[in-house]
Amino acid sequence: MKAFFDSELGKILRWLLFFPLSILGAFLSHGFVSIIVHTAYTGTFDQTATLWDDLLRKILSQTAGGFFFVYTGCYIVPNYRKFISIFLSIIFILAMGYFIYHGVNRGYYFDNGLFEGWSSIIIITSSIVGAGYASYNIFHDEYVELY
């Protein structure tokens, strides 16, 4: 399998698929961490968590999503991981910054109250922190090879 991905066709596939697979990695890690943290606090799936438990779950899962968005892309294209980490971090920061700006400007975040609005902004900011932390680790060669 490694010989295939080191071939010319494999390199082309890596460059075509690193962005969609980064998005998929972010979604999967976000869901996985969200389920793990929710069951750790409530014990089952059918119980509701408190307000602070729910906020912590959202912050941790969004941080993991941002981290694995950058980390997955760098894992798929390992020869250019520093460039890819900076590129994906900039794309992620711009997208999340747009979501914050658009949500605050339109009033979407504060429709349900002041706490919900600020918690939404904190949650999105935590995903930016996760992406920045992944980029920092990769840029300073603290990257873990999985194969």
Side-chain angles (χ1 to χ4, degrees):
M1 192 71 158
K2 186 175 179 177
F4 170 73
F5 283 114
D6 288 337
S7 69
E8 200 63 35
L9 178 64
K11 290 178 183 177
I12 292 171
L13 282 175
R14 281 183 178 201
W15 280 104
L16 288 176
L17 295 176
F18 85 93
F19 192 71
L21 290 177
S22 293
I23 294 171
L24 180 66
F27 282 134
L28 290 176
S29 66
H30 175 270
F32 182 73
V33 170
S34 182
I35 288 170
I36 295 298
V37 172
H38 180 73
T39 55
Y41 276 107
T42 60
T44 61
F45 288 117
D46 56 354
Q47 293 180 351
T48 57
T50 65
L51 185 66
W52 297 108
D53 294 340
D54 190 47
L55 181 64
L56 181 65
R57 176 186 60 86
K58 289 177 182 177
I59 288 173
L60 290 177
S61 63
Q62 286 290 340
T63 304
F67 180 84
F68 281 105
F69 176 76
V70 174
Y71 202 81
T72 304
C74 294
Y75 181 74
I76 293 169
V77 188
N79 295 335
Y80 300 97
R81 63 178 169 242
K82 290 184 180 181
F83 170 75
I84 294 296
S85 71
I86 299 298
F87 174 74
L88 287 176
S89 292
I90 289 172
I91 294 294
F92 194 79
I93 289 169
L94 289 175
M96 294 300 124
Y98 173 76
F99 290 149
I100 291 173
Y101 173 76
H102 185 66
V104 169
N105 210 20
R106 299 281 180 147
Y108 294 145
Y109 294 146
F110 296 101
D111 283 346
N112 295 328
L114 193 62
F115 179 78
E116 287 294 324
W118 282 109
S119 66
S120 297
I121 292 171
I122 289 170
I123 290 165
I124 293 173
T125 305
S126 71
S127 67
I128 293 172
V129 168
Y133 181 67
S135 183
Y136 174 82
N137 281 345
I138 291 166
F139 198 77
H140 291 288
D141 291 327
E142 296 174 11
Y143 181 78
V144 177
E145 295 287 341
L146 297 177
Y147 61 91

